[in-house]
Amino acid sequence: MNKLRPTIVLLVVVALAVLGSVLAQDDPVSEQPAASAPDWERLQAALPYLSSRVPEHRLQAERLVERGAVVHFDRLVLELPAQPRRGREVLLRVLTHTGHEGRAQLCLDTLCNRESRRAERTIASRGLKDVDSDRLLALIEKRLSEPELELFQRVECCNLLGTLSSARGQGVAEQVLAGEEPGSLLAFAAEDAVLRSTIASPFAQPAWSRYQSRRPEAPRVQLRLLQDALDDLALPRAVDRAAAELQLAELIGKDVRVLLALARSPWPERATFALNQLKRMKGMELALAAQAVMLDLVMTGEQTVALLAMDVAIAGAPPSDSDMEKLRPVISVDSEARLEAILEGMGRSTDLSELRARSRALEARLRPLLQRRGPADSEVRSMFDELQIVQVQLAQVEALWAGGWRREFEAEILGTRQE
């Protein structure tokens, strides 16, 4: 028996070696070493197929471009503007998923381009989530130092500063705030960046205290207490989340700036809470700034947040002609065109804010009068008829406003791929 043991062991070793070779032949990864990056001519020939409607052609071209994206990154970036929309989005997604050091600059350039559409903006925003914050801050500072920088690019740089939870980033945003006219949309964007970064930072009580000294309506609580309440929004039990929402609503009060800052939080539960609070507000302050934030969320945010932002924008009032003059330079070309189409469909003479105010005023006057005199009183009947006429007009204008937003933006939001 002892003589058979070496033979048995030898047979087992041989069998395992044979089995390993068979598995290696079946494994496509082990079959051959990783293919080298394709040359530029082959890659350039594949670019038109990124826009192909044939899935097999598009996938093969995308895989080929992925293999050469790092080696030929700079050349591919130069090819982006010449690509059709579908191919440009695919190529941008491939480039932002690489580990190339130039992808942060590419994402920043995409977000600072007024011509970028929603799909490109969402791809660039996702691409910046795992970029080193110090590198991104250096790129933003360099962009802000350019002397002839467009207002749109300055606002976008402020929006990105709000994503950096660092004292240095807050300092850059406060410098922009100090140099701008109070009440301007750029000043709001700079203060919003400071506030968003402050709320996301663990040791930012000094910046929070400066905000409280600037704004009398700011929550009079320590930052740590506010952050703990925000953390409770993610608790597993629905009862605990509901209690956290009630506590937050009490802490924040009517501070629209804090709610707008939370609306752009990367944490969906915080953004959802803030957007729901904003939707309930009637005639809120900073209406124009709120429209700018909602347009940014609609064109950059993930689907759920973007749809909620659209509802908040619908609950707000349409911008007037003077408002549009201030709004145009800080929103993308696509957003401007869609918003103009909505306003043209409603008619420029339509005043939704006035109709809402008249309806609320008539309801407030009618209720006590009805209780005192009853429904048969002539003044009550006259006021009730007037209220009905106003409410019919209001319903028609509300339908035009809401329908325009859904017609112009909803399909664009739902059509963005989640990758």
Side-chain angles (χ1 to χ4, degrees), residues 114 116-118 121 152 292 294-296 298-300 324 327-328 330-342 405 408-409:
R114 283 196 74 215
S116 297
R117 299 176 67 96
R118 170 176 161 78
R121 297 182 64 78
F152 178 81
M294 294 308 115
L295 281 168
D296 179 64
V298 164
M299 299 304 289
T300 309
M324 284 300 297
L327 196 58
R328 284 189 190 97
V330 303
I331 60 177
S332 67
V333 172
D334 193 29
S335 299
E336 178 188 350
R338 292 175 186 275
L339 189 56
E340 288 283 3
I342 296 171
W405 272 88
E408 295 294 334
F409 289 100

Side-chain angles (χ1 to χ4, degrees), residues 85-86 88-89 115-123 126 295-304 306-307 310 332-335 337-338 342 404-418:
R85 179 184 174 185
R86 183 193 295 263
R88 187 169 64 249
E89 292 169 3
E115 304 289 338
S116 297
R117 299 176 67 96
R118 170 176 161 78
E120 296 168 273
R121 297 182 64 78
T122 53
I123 291 168
R126 293 169 194 159
L295 281 168
D296 179 64
L297 287 172
V298 164
M299 299 304 289
T300 309
E302 302 295 343
Q303 283 184 358
T304 303
L307 291 172
M310 188 177 70
S332 67
V333 172
D334 193 29
S335 299
R338 292 175 186 275
I342 296 171
W405 272 88
R406 294 193 171 94
R407 180 184 67 250
E408 295 294 334
F409 289 100
E410 195 169 53
E412 185 79 6
I413 294 171
L414 298 176
T416 303
R417 296 173 61 183
Q418 298 290 312

Side-chain angles (χ1 to χ4, degrees), residues 75-230:
R75 285 184 170 184
L76 288 172
V77 169
L78 295 176
E79 292 290 331
L80 267 172
Q83 301 303 309
R85 179 184 174 185
R86 183 193 295 263
R88 187 169 64 249
E89 292 169 3
V90 174
L91 181 55
L92 179 63
R93 186 171 63 250
V94 170
L95 292 174
T96 56
H97 284 177
T98 66
H100 195 277
E101 61 179 9
R103 69 190 183 97
Q105 182 69 57
L106 173 62
C107 293
L108 178 61
D109 291 341
T110 302
L111 291 172
C112 288
N113 183 6
R114 283 196 74 215
E115 304 289 338
S116 297
R117 299 176 67 96
R118 170 176 161 78
E120 296 168 273
R121 297 182 64 78
T122 53
I123 291 168
S125 297
R126 293 169 194 159
L128 286 176
K129 288 182 179 179
D130 58 350
V131 169
D132 180 70
S133 59
D134 291 336
R135 175 169 177 74
L136 179 57
L137 180 56
L139 291 174
I140 294 173
E141 286 185 287
K142 181 180 177 182
R143 182 64 60 95
L144 286 172
S145 65
E146 296 178 9
E148 301 296 331
L149 195 64
E150 294 181 359
L151 180 58
F152 178 81
Q153 295 192 40
R154 294 178 68 83
V155 169
E156 285 300 315
C157 286
C158 289
N159 291 342
L160 289 175
L161 283 173
T163 65
L164 306 176
S165 55
S166 68
R168 185 181 164 196
Q170 294 159 19
V172 173
E174 287 184 338
Q175 287 177 6
V176 177
L177 175 61
E180 295 304 318
E181 179 184 355
S184 67
L185 288 177
L186 180 54
F188 167 81
E191 187 170 24
D192 180 68
V194 177
L195 193 52
R196 288 163 58 201
S197 178
T198 300
I199 293 173
S201 302
F203 305 106
Q205 182 60 44
W208 177 250
S209 298
R210 290 194 295 272
Y211 172 71
Q212 289 176 317
S213 64
R214 281 197 308 269
R215 301 295 173 187
E217 70 276 12
R220 298 299 152 183
V221 296
Q222 294 292 313
L223 179 61
R224 183 68 260 170
L225 180 60
L226 179 65
Q227 290 171 334
D228 289 342
L230 289 169

Side-chain angles (χ1 to χ4, degrees), residues 22 26 30 54 337:
V22 172
D26 293 337
S30 304
V54 181

